[in-house]
Amino acid sequence: MPVRDYYHDIVRNALQKDGWTITHDPYRLKLTRKKNLYIDLGAERLMAAEKGVHKIAVEIKSFRSASEMKDLEEAVGQFVLYEHLLARYEPERKLYLAVPEDVRASVFEEEAGQVLIEDKIIRIFTFDVNQEEVITWIP
């Protein structure tokens, strides 16, 4: 089992406050040859207006190392790998990167982060660390 991220419980609580049901903690990707990868959370939410269920997988990143750009590189690499594996094994589930709101302001408003969002390479949502609430879904 993977080590839980620093903000794991905060993100879990924020998603539940936002109306999501946590379905997997962690979400296991079973690969051939008995290899496994773990995404931090799986969740779903009933969308009454669309008469359907939205499913997501969430990878939580704290960006707490000495280099935000190194953290960004690692997060993007992990996101791209998981995104492609989900497309094969559970294409209806969308992957999101969960980051604290201050990380969005310091990393994803800079050019490197903006390119990732504008070019639709990653999807993120931000959360308030103290209120344990989702703030923004991008896109």
Side-chain angles (χ1 to χ4, degrees):
M1 292 294 277
V3 175
R4 289 188 166 191
D5 187 84
Y6 185 79
Y7 294 118
H8 187 92
D9 292 335
I10 291 171
V11 171
R12 184 182 170 98
N13 292 338
L15 285 169
Q16 289 174 323
K17 282 184 180 180
D18 202 47
W20 293 89
T21 300
I22 304 300
T23 57
H24 301 80
D25 185 3
Y27 181 89
R28 183 171 71 175
L29 284 168
K30 297 177 187 175
L31 307 178
T32 58
R33 296 183 166 181
K34 299 182 181 180
K35 302 270 184 191
N36 292 313
L37 290 173
Y38 294 92
I39 302 173
D40 293 314
L41 295 169
E44 63 185 35
R45 181 167 64 179
L46 180 64
M47 305 302 286
E50 300 173 15
K51 296 182 180 177
V53 175
H54 284 195
K55 295 181 178 181
I56 61 173
V58 177
E59 184 61 26
I60 304 163
K61 291 296 172 198
S62 58
F63 286 76
R64 296 172 55 95
S65 78
S67 171
E68 289 181 332
M69 289 299 108
K70 180 71 174 166
D71 287 344
L72 180 62
E73 290 170 353
E74 290 177 7
V76 170
Q78 203 170 18
F79 186 94
V80 169
L81 175 62
Y82 294 168
E83 175 89 334
H84 283 268
L85 290 169
L86 279 173
R88 287 185 182 214
Y89 297 115
E90 194 173 352
E92 68 276 8
R93 190 176 294 275
K94 285 189 173 181
L95 180 63
Y96 280 87
L97 194 67
V99 298
E101 176 59 19
D102 64 328
V103 170
R104 184 199 57 76
S106 66
V107 175
F108 291 96
E109 287 188 359
E110 295 294 327
E111 183 178 1
Q114 280 295 304
V115 165
L116 295 169
I117 292 170
E118 290 171 7
D119 291 354
K120 299 181 180 175
I121 295 170
I122 63 169
R123 288 177 292 278
I124 67 171
F125 76 82
T126 66
F127 56 92
D128 183 308
V129 173
N130 297 316
Q131 299 296 316
E132 298 187 356
E133 294 178 345
V134 172
I135 296 176
T136 306
W137 293 88
I138 307 171

